[in-house]
Amino acid sequence: MGFRRSLAVITARSVNFISRMMGKQGVTMAGKYALKVYPNLLKDLSSQVREKIIVTCGTNGKTTTNNMMAAFIKSEGKKVIINSTGSNMLAGVVSAFVLSASLGGKIDCDYACIEVDEASARRVFPHFKPDYMVLTNLFRDQLDRYGEIDITMNLLSEALDMAPDCKLIINADDVLAASFAKKSGHEFVGFGIDKPCSQFRSSENEIREGRFCLFCGSELKYDFYHFSQLGSYACPNCGFKHPLLKYNATDVSLSKGLKFAVEEKSDSGDTKKRALSSNYRGFYNIYNILASYACGRELKFDLNKIDKILNNFKPENGRMESFKVRDCNILLNLAKNPAGFNQNISSVMEDESEKDLIVVINDNAQDGHDISWLWDVDFERFADANVRNIVVSGLRAYDMQLRFKYSEIESEAVMGVEDAINHMLKKGSKNLYILVNYTALFSTRGLLKGMEKR
Ligand SMILES: [Zn+2]
């Protein structure tokens, strides 16, 4: 098998190289061809991980959480394999392993941090059984790709059945994640925020999944919501309720980055409190930090360098990534479903200064052709967000413009993204937000990188 393994490595490297030469992201193709050459490749390579394999699943926040988690583990002096670009289907996972292997097909790593698409987990887990699964949240996503949320949950549970010893680290504020964990019968710990945050302005018109108890069908009672269905819930009929938080964020402050404390319950029942701060913005990022922190602590790391990592963490994948083009500060962020978009709107509103906004909506296969979800986003809130000009772009620019029109918000359509950015620069924009859905992310990021250099 040594020969086929080497051949698979060479194939992956060649495909990756050629794709890059052609200006394409070759990561997924590399994995696809390598697996054709040697179908046992992923099983073989992943079995060489010396310590633990952690997978991150969930609708929103996977890439940020997974990258942050890997940074925490690396800061403990460990070697980590990671699919950092967010290629999270089987081929992308294979690529992460095969592209870090030697020509002889050997990998040298202590941990693997792998984000896995919820619907792809059942194709990945036959190759390796993760030791931990971090579940960030379960929101409604691209309906024509995933179907309703219970279909996603069934697919994920099918996968988890293949890994009976996998421990779950879940967002306990999400009733769907908590119900999923309880139903699975797997051991789990929860993280969350047990009190409402007064500084955080959420939308009041959000679609909330999980209104009914998944164990008995009764309507759940909520003490409060943070956003979407995340909050504090209990079933008045069967006793199912928000599980105890092993990792609880308290004293949350959103001014000038994120500040909060994590209260951690030990097995003996003591509570330890630790203050954390981050240059990261956006209330929802507290969950991403909590998830990574919880995972690091479950792995028994002290995380002594966490402050430095959080304060220097530079997102480099279009998640809240900042650029400077001439004298304009540009913030690029991915927004691919209603929950994600509503969170983005909240983050834009956390910045009270004057700003401009570009929204790019595509409807390629990876985005989902059905863009009716735009009607589930509370765009009306942009009217109170101190936004000067709005430009819509992308393949479905006119649908987006119509959506704004129904919110009585004026916008201009500029078809090319580069033209849209230049249009804003000409209008003297100094503070520009660009919100894009999935397939627009890679190209827009490339454009901004290029414009920054000019
Ligand atoms: Zn119930």
Side-chain angles (χ1 to χ4, degrees):
M1 274 302 110
F3 170 71
R4 288 189 86 170
R5 195 167 65 186
S6 295
L7 190 62
V9 175
I10 293 165
T11 306
R13 286 195 192 180
S14 314
V15 171
N16 190 41
F17 179 75
I18 294 165
S19 311
R20 274 167 188 265
M21 292 292 285
M22 291 164 67
K24 289 189 179 136
Q25 206 182 17
V27 174
T28 316
M29 295 292 270
K32 197 172 157 185
Y33 284 103
L35 204 56
K36 277 202 178 131
V37 172
Y38 178 31
N40 258 338
L41 180 66
L42 184 53
K43 201 175 228 168
D44 185 332
L45 296 179
S46 60
S47 70
Q48 298 177 40
V49 176
R50 287 186 287 271
E51 301 277 340
K52 306 282 183 202
I53 298 180
I54 303 126
V55 298
T56 304
C57 290
T59 315
N60 290 343
K62 279 194 285 283
T63 305
T64 302
T65 300
N66 197 54
N67 288 356
M68 206 179 271
M69 196 158 35
F72 290 174
I73 298 174
K74 279 181 193 163
S75 78
E76 300 287 329
K78 303 291 181 186
K79 289 189 175 164
V80 183
I81 280 184
I82 175 176
N83 52 344
S84 58
T85 58
S87 296
N88 58 20
M89 299 189 200
L90 177 60
V93 176
V94 173
S95 294
F97 281 92
V98 71
L99 292 175
S100 51
S102 70
L103 281 176
K106 291 285 172 199
I107 57 165
D108 170 23
C109 87
D110 302 300
Y111 290 84
C113 291
I114 304 294
E115 71 160 277
V116 179
D117 173 85
E118 296 74 71
S120 298
R122 68 194 176 119
R123 293 195 195 94
V124 174
F125 289 13
H127 300 268
F128 62 75
K129 317 285 170 229
D131 300 287
Y132 291 90
M133 179 196 278
V134 176
L135 185 55
T136 58
N137 47 57
L138 290 163
F139 296 130
R140 206 143 61 102
D141 202 4
Q142 310 161 19
L143 284 177
D144 53 349
R145 270 193 64 210
Y146 293 97
E148 291 298 337
I149 196 135
D150 49 333
I151 297 176
T152 306
M153 288 170 79
N154 288 341
L155 291 173
L156 203 53
S157 123
E158 205 182 297
L160 200 56
D161 287 346
M162 299 178 208
D165 298 324
C166 178
K167 186 172 180 179
L168 301 176
I169 299 170
I170 62 149
N171 182 344
D173 292 353
D174 178 4
V175 65
L176 296 179
S179 306
F180 174 82
K182 193 180 170 196
K183 273 194 169 175
S184 75
H186 284 240
E187 194 187 342
F188 72 91
V189 295
F191 59 86
I193 309 165
D194 77 347
K195 296 211 170 50
C197 169
S198 56
Q199 272 182 311
F200 174 63
R201 287 188 288 173
S202 174
S203 160
E204 271 148 39
N205 306 313
E206 283 183 274
I207 304 270
R208 305 196 195 276
E209 299 290 336
R211 279 180 53 215
F212 298 97
C213 177
L214 289 186
F215 298 93
C216 76
S218 306
E219 187 164 2
L220 293 166
K221 290 264 180 299
Y222 273 82
D223 291 335
F224 63 87
Y225 291 105
H226 291 300
F227 59 85
S228 296
Q229 77 269 14
L230 307 190
S232 177
Y233 49 86
C235 173
N237 181 42
C238 75
F240 168 69
K241 62 175 193 226
H242 187 277
L244 273 182
L245 299 174
K246 184 166 179 191
Y247 302 93
N248 178 28
T250 62
D251 312 327
V252 174
S253 160
L254 304 177
S255 28
K256 294 183 182 159
L258 299 172
K259 285 194 183 65
F260 60 98
V262 187
E263 288 177 351
E264 178 180 342
K265 281 198 179 52
S266 72
D267 295 336
S268 57
D270 307 340
T271 303
K272 216 168 53 178
K273 198 165 170 175
R274 185 159 172 182
L276 294 180
S277 66
S278 156
N279 63 355
Y280 238 52
R281 287 176 33 201
F283 180 75
Y284 64 93
N285 274 315
I286 293 177
Y287 283 111
N288 296 333
I289 296 170
L290 266 179
S292 317
Y293 180 85
C295 181
R297 293 293 299 142
E298 290 299 305
L299 293 171
K300 309 268 186 287
F301 290 126
D302 290 332
L303 303 176
N304 290 325
K305 295 182 182 132
I306 190 170
D307 294 327
K308 204 172 156 201
I309 298 170
L310 286 177
N311 283 307
N312 297 319
F313 194 77
K314 281 220 173 31
E316 287 183 354
N317 44 31
R319 272 77 170 179
M320 284 276 184
E321 186 172 2
S322 55
F323 300 85
K324 183 121 187 164
V325 178
R326 283 176 251 163
D327 57 347
C328 180
N329 294 310
I330 301 179
L331 203 74
L332 173 68
N333 207 5
L334 174 71
K336 58 185 167 78
N337 50 38
F341 228 119
N342 283 326
Q343 283 318 293
N344 264 297
I345 298 173
S346 292
S347 310
V348 172
M349 292 177 81
E350 280 167 31
D351 171 9
E352 288 171 356
S353 52
E354 190 177 71
K355 64 201 67 94
D356 299 296
L357 172 70
I358 297 177
V359 179
V360 187
I361 300 295
N362 283 345
D363 64 349
N364 294 312
Q366 283 176 293
D367 303 305
H369 299 303
D370 177 357
I371 53 156
S372 61
W373 59 270
L374 288 176
W375 296 89
D376 294 334
V377 180
D378 200 359
F379 287 107
E380 284 74 8
R381 296 164 71 218
F382 275 129
D384 304 317
N386 199 7
V387 180
R388 207 173 55 135
N389 299 303
I390 298 181
V391 163
V392 294
S393 191
L395 299 170
R396 300 300 285 264
Y398 292 114
D399 297 75
M400 191 56 233
Q401 192 172 35
L402 181 71
R403 177 65 191 85
F404 270 126
K405 197 173 172 200
Y406 271 81
S407 306
E408 297 182 341
I409 294 174
E410 258 184 64
S411 65
E412 282 176 87
V414 178
M415 294 324 284
V417 178
E418 187 166 13
D419 291 341
I421 297 168
N422 281 325
H423 184 73
M424 284 302 199
L425 294 176
K426 258 184 222 143
K427 286 191 160 210
S429 182
K430 299 278 178 284
N431 182 21
L432 175 62
Y433 285 80
I434 306 183
L435 307 182
V436 300
N437 71 341
Y438 195 73
T439 62
L441 183 72
F442 185 63
S443 54
T444 305
R445 186 170 179 266
L447 266 176
L448 287 167
K449 286 227 153 228
M451 292 174 92
E452 229 175 12
K453 283 190 199 130
R454 264 177 247 154

